[in-house]
Structures are given as C-alpha cells and as structure tokens.
Amino acid sequence: MSVAESTLLEAHALHREFGGVVAVRDVSFAVRRGEVVSIIGPNGAGKTTLFNLLTGLDRPDAGRIWFCGHEITALSPERRAALGMARTFQHGRAFGNLTVLENVLLGAHLRQALTAPDSTPLSALRELGAAILKPPAYADEQRRLRHRAFALLQRFGERLTPRAHQPAYTLSYANRRRTEMARALALQPTLLLLDEPTAGMNPTETAEVLDFLKTLKAEGLTLLLIEHKLGLVMELSDRVIVMDNGVVIAEGAPESVRRDPRVVEAYLGHTHWGTPSSESLP
C-alpha cells in the first residue's frame, strides 16, 4: 500500500480565527490507517478547535481536509460521520433521560440500512413510518442493533453492563465518558477522535481506559486523541503532535517528541497545562 493509499485523514494549512484571535494557524498533518496519533499542548493551544474543524462542527477560514479519499472541508458533521468519522467531546455528553443502552443505540443511527437518514426531504418521514409500522425487516434490524449495542457495553465489563437499562443521569462521571465512547463505537467508525477521554478520571480509571484503547489499537482502529496525561500518551501513541498558540511546534515518535527542546520549553513555560503529576514530561 502506498503512502497515499494508507493515509486516512489529511489536513492541509487549516486556519481559524475568532474575532482576530488565531486559534489554529496553518496546521497540516496526516493520519495513516491503523495509527494512533495524540495531540498535546497547553490549554488554549487550539486542540479542540482543530477537532471541531476536522469533524465539521466548525469551518476553517482557510485550508482543506480529506478523509477516506474524499475532500470533506465543506461537509456537515453527519456526512462526515456517515463516512466513518466518530468523536467524543471534552466534556462528556450523554442524554441523561435515556438509558445507557439507548445512548449507545443513538450512535448506530447512521448505520441503519432501512432508515438511515439521507439528503432527501422524505428521510424523516420514512424513518417515522418504519418506527410506527415496525415491518419485520425493521424489527429484525432493531434487534441486531440492540444486540450490537449491548455487546459494546459488555466491552466495559461491570462498569456499564449492569447499568444498561438505567438512565444515564445516574452514572458517575467516568461511566458517562465510557458511555460516550461506546456510543461513538456504535457508528462502526474508521476513525475515532477522542477529546480528553480520561479527563477527571482517577489513576485506576485512567489505566482501564488505556487498556481499552490498547485493545482498539490492536484491532486496527485508527485513533486520534487529545490528552493531557502524558504517561498514557507516551505508552499508547505511534506519533505525537504538539500544539502551542494554535501552531504545531513538534511532531514525531513519542520518544523523540518528549526530548524536543521546543516541547520541553513549552511544558516548562506553561503552568496551566495541568497538575505536575499528570503534566511532567516522563
């Protein structure tokens, strides 16, 4: 496979300003299939803004994005999701009044063969009609989706499985983050973007997430994550991208990046990166 064929995601010269403040400045990088890439940097470095540009929640002022061989710069978030791009958010987003299982099922919405939304005005009516009439093919598909969603919960063991039918508002913060990851995986993504997946978790919970992400990596899923816990980043990542003040200041293998003088200077020069235990260079 050539380099071009192995490239799953490519960003070229992305630029985004807010009221004259540059959040992302001419950022270019690529992610290969099966690769785990981590983006690190201080608060305000532009990491989440970059994720929003990649996933369509925001549009760049300049630059272009390609995913799975398609230019997606102008595509909506749902069109990008349909191509196989799923994400979690910096602050866990679960629908509190839905059960844990129902939250995960939402992630499979675009993978419904019979009622998957499209660009036609009849899409919503078709889906509503199928939900009301419940033809046999629709009922069979719903059973398969529920089975697949429950299997995703089982991957988190006792953390989520016993809580499958409980409302999400009863979950701990860590379990809401796990539910969000399961929901993203229900899309059956080609690329999973994780925005600080272990934020707010204690060392035991962080270690569990690291083990889970290692499993996804071993299965060949491509991961792009923002993370402040450098121990996790260094152990999991194939490549690390370091941002500061909206620009990429270093990129490469974890071992080389942590010894880059620019990275050391950035870490020592920002007291707001996080706690010393989580943010000290290993």
Side-chain angles (χ1 to χ4, degrees):
M1 183 182 294
S2 68
V3 173
E5 291 172 332
S6 68
T7 298
L8 181 64
L9 175 72
E10 183 176 1
H12 178 70
L14 292 183
H15 193 90
R16 185 69 171 104
E17 297 185 16
F18 297 96
V21 177
V22 179
V24 172
R25 185 190 300 273
D26 299 329
V27 169
S28 299
F29 68 97
V31 178
R32 295 183 294 273
R33 294 180 185 273
E35 191 177 28
V36 176
V37 177
S38 293
I39 301 174
I40 65 174
N43 296 329
K47 304 181 300 296
T48 294
T49 298
L50 177 60
F51 259 37
N52 290 341
L53 296 176
L54 296 174
T55 56
L57 292 182
D58 194 12
R59 297 290 177 86
D61 297 313
R64 301 169 72 185
I65 307 166
W66 291 266
F67 178 61
C68 290
H70 304 275
E71 183 174 355
I72 62 168
T73 313
L75 293 187
S76 64
E78 58 268 27
R79 293 285 301 280
R80 300 181 199 210
L83 287 173
M85 181 183 290
R87 74 168 290 181
T88 64
F89 291 84
Q90 186 176 7
H91 305 290
R93 298 185 181 183
F95 294 89
N97 290 327
L98 297 180
T99 68
V100 175
L101 184 62
E102 288 168 341
N103 266 276
V104 177
L105 279 167
L106 288 175
H109 184 61
L110 291 172
R111 295 295 179 247
Q112 298 180 104
L114 297 176
T115 60
D118 54 37
S119 58
T120 68
L122 296 177
S123 175
L125 290 176
R126 185 177 65 246
E127 185 172 0
L128 177 63
I132 293 173
L133 298 175
K134 292 184 172 59
Y138 174 81
D140 288 343
E141 182 177 56
Q142 293 305 302
R143 280 192 292 270
R144 288 194 299 271
L145 291 175
R146 289 180 69 85
H147 178 78
R148 186 181 301 154
F150 193 77
L152 285 171
L153 294 181
Q154 289 178 313
R155 299 194 65 168
F156 293 89
E158 292 300 305
R159 297 295 192 182
L160 292 183
T161 306
R163 299 169 174 84
H165 302 293
Q166 296 177 9
Y169 71 78
T170 65
L171 296 177
S172 67
Y173 176 79
N175 278 338
R176 289 199 299 272
R177 300 306 298 264
R178 293 183 180 100
T179 299
E180 189 181 21
M181 281 187 269
R183 185 176 64 209
L185 289 170
L187 179 69
Q188 300 175 16
T190 307
L191 171 66
L192 178 60
L193 300 95
L194 303 167
D195 194 345
E196 296 191 34
T198 67
M201 293 188 182
N202 62 39
T204 298
E205 293 164 340
T206 298
E208 289 178 2
V209 171
L210 174 58
D211 287 341
F212 181 70
L213 296 181
K214 284 181 176 178
T215 300
L216 296 180
K217 178 180 180 179
E219 293 171 356
L221 182 60
T222 308
L223 303 175
L224 180 63
L225 65 148
I226 296 170
E227 184 54 68
H228 278 294
K229 297 178 180 176
L230 292 183
L232 181 150
V233 168
M234 296 299 164
E235 188 169 346
L236 179 68
S237 307
D238 297 308
R239 194 155 45 90
V240 179
I241 297 170
V242 187
M243 293 185 67
D244 193 16
N245 292 319
V247 302
V248 173
I249 62 170
E251 179 179 350
E255 191 68 21
S256 65
V257 164
R258 75 174 183 174
R259 286 178 166 76
D260 190 301
R262 295 166 297 178
V263 178
V264 174
E265 181 181 0
Y267 267 77
L268 294 177
H270 290 279
T271 59
H272 59 286
W273 277 51
T275 62
S277 60
S278 67
E279 293 304 331
S280 299
L281 284 173

